[in-house]
Amino acid sequence: MKPWRVAFFEQNSAANGNIEDDIKDFVVNAFHKAQRDALWKNSGTRLDTWHVSDFVSPCLRKSHYSKIPELKTAMNDEMAAILFQGVIVHDNVILGSINELTMCYDIEKRENIDPSTVKAMEKDDPRKKDILTGTLDDLLRIGDEYVIADKKTYNARGYVKKEASPEHILQVNIYKLMLKYSYGIEANYGCNLYLDKGDGYKELPMVYKTAPIEETQKFLETTLKSFKDGIPDPTITFLCNGKNKDKKIYCNFLEQCEKDGREKFV
Ligand code: SF4
């Protein structure tokens, strides 16, 4: 039985004697269980390699910590709710006939590798330390051009976004490289479709020309090296600077990061 199910069944059996409270607890717990089931189902294509999200994270040290099993913590309800919104959108907003395309790329060897080959590798296969996995949302053919489209949910709160976020552009550029190596297709354009959660998923498309593949290749190689060299330097961003209305910290590794000298970089 999946670990969170065990916890939920334990919770459900602990009725407190008030039927109305029991009903509320039951439906809320059942909803949280359904959320986690949906997230679990969607993580099915995650292979035990580097993931594109590790390379585009605002803080590489955070990506480094996320690979250390002892530092992993259970997902809280708030994070599950955020990820669940993304799952709903990705499951239901299919923009073209080629979507959710998973690709793998060996950064050191500069060659593609079939995801099924990676899946068949032993858990501790050292080759996995050089392999990057990514899943492209939608590949479109518009006019004579191939376009990589990537959907992003966000909360605009009245702010009008002027351009795509650098990390989202970088993500599309990495998909461009992987697509070229996997299928020989060169996508000269990228498009982030921003969907405002606070306004009925109001759409805002941001289109841009993608970067040359060699540029992205160098970025991947340099970043992989910094992962392999030990603990990358921390980058203090919105994830852990507490500069938000509720002074929230969005990184689960703050304690470890402080032990590893975070204050020298503040
Ligand atoms: S606490 Fe901040 S600097 Fe440290 S790993 Fe997390 S995000 Fe990076």
Side-chain angles (χ1 to χ4, degrees):
M1 194 184 287
K2 292 166 193 162
W4 69 85
R5 280 184 175 270
V6 176
F8 277 117
F9 281 124
E10 275 168 9
Q11 257 177 293
N12 287 342
S13 61
N16 64 23
N18 178 321
I19 183 64
E20 292 194 8
D21 286 345
D22 288 347
I23 293 168
K24 284 181 199 166
D25 287 349
F26 185 94
V27 294
V28 169
N29 285 332
F31 174 65
H32 288 164
K33 179 163 65 65
Q35 270 185 327
R36 281 164 169 78
D37 277 345
L39 296 177
W40 181 270
K41 185 183 72 170
N42 257 266
S43 67
T45 49
R46 284 229 166 196
L47 301 172
D48 196 13
T49 63
W50 291 106
H51 191 265
V52 170
S53 58
D54 297 323
F55 282 68
V56 302
S57 167
C59 177
L60 294 182
R61 179 177 279 197
K62 181 170 180 282
S63 303
H64 164 83
Y65 287 147
S66 72
K67 301 285 171 208
I68 302 174
E70 304 82 63
L71 295 181
K72 283 203 173 137
T73 52
M75 188 189 302
N76 61 30
D77 289 343
E78 192 181 2
M79 182 51 70
I82 292 169
L83 296 176
F84 184 55
Q85 299 238 23
V87 168
I88 293 169
V89 167
H90 283 82
D91 276 0
N92 294 289
V93 184
I94 292 169
L95 303 178
S97 53
I98 299 178
N99 54 79
E100 295 293 314
L101 180 63
T102 297
M103 300 169 286
C104 294
Y105 171 75
D106 187 314
I107 297 172
E108 293 283 7
K109 290 190 182 143
R110 291 190 170 190
E111 62 186 28
N112 78 301
I113 178 161
D114 195 273
S116 60
T117 307
V118 179
K119 209 169 186 176
M121 286 177 179
E122 293 293 326
K123 190 170 177 3
D124 299 327
D125 192 313
R127 286 175 292 174
K128 287 185 175 181
K129 295 203 179 318
D130 297 336
I131 294 173
L132 179 67
T133 302
T135 300
L136 169 162
D137 277 1
D138 298 277
L139 176 64
L140 311 173
R141 183 86 199 252
I142 301 174
D144 290 336
E145 297 291 349
Y146 286 103
V147 181
I148 295 169
D150 204 46
K151 295 161 288 237
K152 298 289 176 198
T153 54
Y154 78 126
N155 263 317
R157 295 194 183 97
Y159 168 76
V160 181
K161 212 169 166 47
K162 302 277 188 313
E163 54 192 17
S165 305
E167 66 272 22
H168 298 158
I169 297 176
L170 177 59
Q171 187 177 354
V172 165
N173 284 331
I174 296 173
Y175 291 147
K176 173 184 178 175
L177 177 151
M178 298 176 91
L179 188 65
K180 175 76 176 169
Y181 275 83
S182 297
Y183 296 101
I185 294 172
E186 190 146 351
N188 291 321
Y189 287 88
C191 175
N192 286 119
L193 179 61
Y194 289 97
L195 299 164
D196 184 358
K197 292 184 279 189
D199 187 12
Y201 292 105
K202 176 84 185 139
E203 65 283 358
L204 177 63
M206 294 288 178
V207 179
Y208 44 86
K209 279 205 153 190
T210 49
I213 283 172
E214 303 70 43
E215 209 175 275
T216 310
Q217 206 152 33
K218 277 197 195 115
F219 164 79
L220 290 178
E221 287 163 7
T222 312
T223 308
L224 181 64
K225 185 176 177 315
S226 75
F227 281 134
K228 286 184 173 180
D229 283 350
I231 308 176
D233 286 345
T235 310
I236 317 293
T237 63
F238 70 95
L239 288 170
C240 64
N241 63 14
K243 289 184 183 164
N244 55 72
K245 191 161 59 72
D246 303 321
K247 299 191 169 28
K248 271 193 186 158
I249 300 295
Y250 299 102
C251 175
N252 289 335
F253 307 112
L254 180 62
E255 197 182 325
Q256 183 62 41
C257 190
E258 283 176 338
K259 281 186 200 157
D260 291 329
R262 176 181 178 275
E263 76 284 350
K264 283 183 246 146
F265 298 85
V266 177

